[in-house]
């Protein structure tokens, strides 16, 4: 009886571990919960499972960086040879995201065997790599075939960087993830959020269970209405350096107004309306 139990014990344990590994490999939400002790919010779970290009237009502190680092680690762990690129405005910022990936990696039991690990990249024995990139288009052109590109604070990243990273996905069919709070009606993050190419996740601060009403109220007072709406309610506002609001310019461009110059080059005086 004892002998049988000894034999069956480990077998059941191995089967259990294998099942758990398989479930974690197939489902990044299970990976987050079972392997990383990270319990995703609803939208975070949806995003972790999404394989289409995704755009996270989410409040400050809603959990963008945390969730994308889980996704990056999941890809690197279960897709041997996968290249995961972390892009941001500057090295320092992509390094910060890399730090989150590293913190989660250290929770893995057993941890993946690394053949290289430094402040800017990690290479797994499986051939997967996670690499931090600087925010300059010229220096990032060398990479090809990434499975996943994560662009942090995308509204602040140069459009040239975006132009440089997109073609890398041409052959790999990898996923592009952009995350940011808005920063005006301009640039690739704004344009992408209007396009149909990305699944857009919009998460306002009041939808985040960790941000209190009291905190938001004090932020509204401290920041003023425009910045508050931008930082916490995901609104693309006219840039502060713009003299006229976009909607005013759009309204001004109308066919109703007679031209200053008549058909024969004659100057036509418009009546002033008050
Ligand atoms: N699902 C979650 N459960 C618990 N804490 C979370 C969760 N998602 C994010 N956090 C925490 O919220 C804080 C902000 O997360 P972060 O990813 O840095 O936000 P963002 O990049 O959107 O500003 C961090 O302390 C992070 O650990
Ligand atoms: Mg962040």
């Amino acid at each position: 009886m004892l002998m049988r139990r000894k034999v069956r014990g480990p077998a059941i344990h191995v089967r259990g571990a294998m099942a758990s590994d398989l479930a974690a490999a197939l489902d990044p939400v299970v990976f987050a919960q079972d392997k990383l002790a990270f319990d995703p919010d609803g939208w975070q779970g949806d995003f972790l499972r999404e394989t289409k290009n995704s755009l996270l237009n989410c409040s400050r502190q809603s959990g963008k960086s945390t969730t994308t680092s889980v996704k990056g680690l999941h890809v690197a762990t279960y897709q041997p040879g996968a290249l995961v690129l972390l892009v941001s405005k500057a090295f320092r910022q992509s390094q910060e995201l890399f730090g989150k990936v590293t913190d989660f990696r250290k929770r893995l039991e057993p941890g993946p065997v690394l053949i290289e690990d430094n402040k800017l990249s990690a290479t797994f024995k499986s051939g997967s790599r996670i690499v931090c990139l600087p925010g300059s288009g010229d220096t990032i052109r060398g990479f090809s075939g990434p499975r996943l590109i994560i662009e942090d604070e995308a509204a602040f990243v140069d459009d040239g960087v975006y132009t440089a990273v997109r073609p890398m996905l041409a052959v790999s069919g990898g996923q592009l993830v952009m995350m940011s709070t808005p920063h005006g009606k301009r640039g690739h993050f704004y344009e992408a959020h209007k396009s149909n190419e990305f699944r857009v996740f919009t998460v306002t601060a009041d939808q985040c269970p960790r941000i209190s009403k009291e905190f938001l109220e004090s932020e509204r007072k401290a920041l003023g209405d425009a910045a508050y709406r931008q930082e916490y309610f995901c609104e693309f506002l006219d840039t502060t350096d713009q003299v006229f609001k976009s909607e005013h310019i759009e309204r001004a461009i109308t066919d109703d107004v007679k031209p200053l110059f008549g058909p024969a080059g004659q100057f036509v005086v418009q009546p002033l309306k008050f």
Side-chain angles (χ1 to χ4, degrees), residues 61 64-66 97 100 152-153 179:
Q61 292 292 298
K64 302 181 288 298
S65 301
T66 307
L97 189 60
K100 285 190 196 287
D152 197 5
E153 301 296 354
M179 58 172 149

Side-chain angles (χ1 to χ4, degrees), residues 38-41 44 59-66 100 210:
F38 172 71
D39 197 15
D41 297 341
Q44 291 174 331
S59 160
R60 294 278 284 271
Q61 292 292 298
S62 56
K64 302 181 288 298
S65 301
T66 307
K100 285 190 196 287
R210 291 167 297 282

